Amino acid sequence: MKIAIGADHGGVHMKEAIKNHLLAQGVEVEDFGTYGTESVDYPDIAQVVARNVVDKKSDFGILICGTGIGISIAANKIKGVRAALCTNEYCGRICRHHNDANILCLGERVMGVEVAKSVTDAFLSADFDGGRHQQRVDKIHGLE
Ligand code: RB5
């Protein structure tokens, strides 16, 4: 499995923690920055990770900002993206089962890093259920 990961300055510490958590599990991770605490604009990071995912260069994306809100709004502007802002394991799992989410969004300033790791694990170990959920996902993309 290959993951594209990115964060703005508000999420850079959590990005490092999640990246290391995934690397320790043998998951391939491509890091699109940012790499320091200097202020950057989250739409720039969201765009490169989102395009990497929709172009099928990675299986999933993980995007992190201070709240997870701005970076999820930005990622969802890219056609083909289903970015889910998750604050707990249940949402991490269900956004894969029901929404076929292809990008997980997290907020460094609003959740602990251990919770973020468990949300990430739930997200990456769940599969899309298809069936009635497929028609809903199709309708989402019909709105694009
Ligand atoms: C950056 O200060 C902050 O606005 C950003 O990380 C995020 O929380 C936006 O939604």
Side-chain angles (χ1 to χ4, degrees), residues 13-27:
H13 299 110
M14 182 174 278
K15 173 170 70 66
E16 291 308 304
I18 296 296
K19 181 172 73 177
N20 290 333
H21 178 67
L22 294 174
L23 291 173
Q25 296 176 45
V27 175

Side-chain angles (χ1 to χ4, degrees), residues 36-55:
T37 52
E38 192 177 325
S39 184
V40 295
D41 297 333
Y42 55 79
D44 298 335
I45 303 290
Q47 180 182 187
V48 290
V49 168
R51 292 204 191 284
N52 186 272
V53 172
V54 296
D55 290 347

Side-chain angles (χ1 to χ4, degrees), residues 8-11 39-40 42 64-73 107 109:
D8 76 351
H9 55 288
S39 184
V40 295
Y42 55 79
I64 309 167
C65 67
T67 58
I69 296 171
I71 212 154
S72 61
I73 292 171
R109 296 174 183 160

